[in-house]
Amino acid sequence: MTRNRDKGWKENPNRSVFVMTEESGMDVSEYLNQNPHLAEWVETLREQSETGKHWGSRREFILRNMEVFPTIEPGTTSHSLDMLLSLSKVWANHVFLGCRYPDPVMDKVKELADGITVIDAPVRKTRDEILGKGKRPPVIGTDADSCVKKSKCVPNDSNSKDPERNTECVTTPAAIKSGPSASAPAEHQPFFNRLYKAVAWKLVSAGGFGPNLDHFEILRSCVESCKASLSCVFVPLKDIPDLPAGCTQKEGQVCELRCHTVYLGTGYGRDECAARAMASKEALKIFQGRKVNVRISRRRFQGRDVEDIVLFDEQPRGPVLPPALSYPF
């Protein structure tokens, strides 16, 4: 037991296990190897849809904060355990999915997560950072999966701690005129054939496409199973210049989903989570046919017509696609 304490663990007098201290700097795997009964219990807290990276970080959050909730007993449900699990999910959703919550909640989870390092966490920017503090130039990422546009007031600790990952992704007007290469659809098609199969199996296991599914989670897990990631772009509805004439709705958020720079779908909602869910639902509809096709199509972006790479199903979409919120070429 002395050896454990020397490693930065301390014994809680109310429990028969050691808890991880913030200053320990120890390895989670080593800690769990010496507490096998705790390792077995904590694995029961993993969500079925969580990836290894997602769960590994949330598991560390739980273990490092068990001392904050001294009434928690492994294997026993309690209000304290429910509170810790809820906070761990809030933190993980913020880090990996870009979700945001009321300021007091965000302050609390950031305090509890102090000292936890997430490797290759998604990088997000505020809308003002991307648009250049009020200007409206074309905003492009050399890699659309790594440049994610967010509306204002979305804090992300990884940006402040790693200045090299806080570089703006902006191209020149000449780059916009070039557009996607003619070979781009053929280059992307094999990936989306694999993604089509992954989505098909996922929907079968979920009982088929329906309104009660977590559409974003299904799409995200399928994309990650194909070794890729989704790019979510959020813009306030009132800031979109290409709204249809006569549109009176000005509140809410619009979300655009891309994968490997290919446009998947757009959704509107009262907040970012609702908009992302609707965009994911629209994207999943494309996978309902017998195949998917990657094609170059004309879209409106910043008041001009541009060529974009779009994923289609067997049934052609309407004559007018939603205006682009981002243009990755």
Side-chain angles (χ1 to χ4, degrees):
M1 290 185 178
T2 301
R3 180 172 64 85
N4 288 349
R5 286 195 290 270
D6 289 342
K7 283 181 174 290
W9 308 344
K10 69 179 183 181
E11 189 174 14
N12 188 316
N14 298 321
R15 293 190 214 142
S16 59
V17 299
F18 288 93
V19 295
M20 299 171 63
T21 61
E22 180 180 346
E23 64 273 12
S24 64
M26 42 152 274
D27 181 75
V28 175
S29 299
E30 182 182 359
Y31 169 66
L32 292 177
N33 286 338
Q34 298 197 27
N35 291 271
H37 58 296
L38 183 61
E40 198 172 278
W41 167 73
V42 77
E43 285 301 319
T44 65
L45 307 178
R46 180 176 182 175
E47 299 286 347
Q48 185 176 5
S49 60
E50 284 184 294
T51 64
K53 180 191 293 186
H54 193 135
W55 166 239
S57 298
R58 192 167 74 86
R59 179 182 63 181
E60 183 175 353
F61 183 99
I62 294 170
L63 294 173
R64 289 191 182 278
N65 288 292
M66 284 180 64
E67 65 174 342
V68 181
F69 300 86
T71 59
I72 292 178
E73 285 291 340
T76 303
T77 59
S78 65
H79 175 72
S80 295
L81 177 60
D82 290 341
M83 179 66 71
L84 176 57
L85 294 181
S86 296
L87 290 171
S88 73
K89 292 176 182 178
V90 166
W91 174 73
N93 288 344
H94 169 65
V95 171
F96 292 97
L97 304 180
C99 299
R100 61 181 182 179
Y101 301 85
D103 289 343
V105 178
M106 293 304 305
D107 292 341
K108 180 64 176 178
V109 296
K110 286 182 179 180
E111 176 187 348
L112 295 177
D114 186 35
I116 299 178
T117 301
V118 180
I119 300 176
D120 293 331
V123 179
R124 298 179 174 85
K125 290 177 174 290
T126 66
R127 183 174 178 277
D128 285 347
E129 286 175 333
I130 294 178
L131 294 183
K133 297 183 179 180
K135 298 179 182 179
R136 299 186 64 88
V139 180
I140 308 302
T142 54
D143 180 354
D145 289 339
S146 64
C147 298
V148 183
K149 184 185 345 179
K150 300 287 289 180
S151 60
K152 294 188 291 182
C153 302
V154 184
N156 189 316
D157 289 342
S158 61
N159 283 350
S160 60
K161 294 179 181 178
D162 190 350
E164 291 184 2
R165 300 179 67 180
N166 201 28
T167 305
E168 291 189 352
C169 299
V170 181
T171 58
T172 62
I176 285 186
K177 293 179 180 179
S178 64
S181 65
S183 62
E187 294 169 357
H188 289 296
Q189 189 65 52
F191 169 81
F192 284 96
N193 289 342
R194 296 196 304 273
L195 181 59
Y196 171 82
K197 294 178 181 178
V199 172
W201 281 111
K202 191 75 170 181
L203 290 176
V204 168
S205 64
F209 183 85
N212 297 324
L213 297 177
D214 187 340
H215 301 98
F216 173 72
E217 183 57 32
I218 288 177
L219 185 60
R220 182 200 63 79
S221 62
C222 290
V223 168
E224 290 192 356
S225 72
C226 295
K227 311 302 182 184
S229 59
L230 283 172
S231 172
C232 303
V233 179
F234 297 93
V235 173
L237 181 64
K238 60 183 178 61
D239 291 342
I240 298 178
D242 298 318
L243 290 176
C247 180
T248 58
Q249 180 66 38
K250 298 297 183 182
E251 299 300 323
Q253 295 284 328
V254 181
C255 173
E256 179 180 271
L257 292 180
R258 290 181 181 270
C259 182
H260 283 320
T261 74
V262 177
Y263 168 73
L264 303 182
T266 299
Y268 160 80
R270 63 184 181 279
D271 54 32
E272 291 180 359
C273 287
R276 185 179 59 193
M278 185 57 66
S280 302
K281 182 178 179 180
E282 292 301 310
L284 283 179
K285 289 179 180 179
I286 304 171
F287 295 88
Q288 301 306 296
R290 291 179 294 179
K291 62 180 180 179
V292 293
N293 294 304
V294 182
R295 299 205 298 268
I296 294 177
S297 183
R298 302 289 293 180
R299 300 182 68 196
R300 295 287 292 176
F301 175 69
Q302 298 290 342
R304 70 181 71 184
D305 286 332
V306 297
E307 289 187 336
D308 198 357
I309 307 179
V310 181
L311 187 66
F312 289 90
D313 56 12
E314 295 177 300
Q315 301 297 324
R317 298 195 188 186
V320 180
L321 291 169
L325 306 187
S326 64
Y327 186 63
F329 303 105

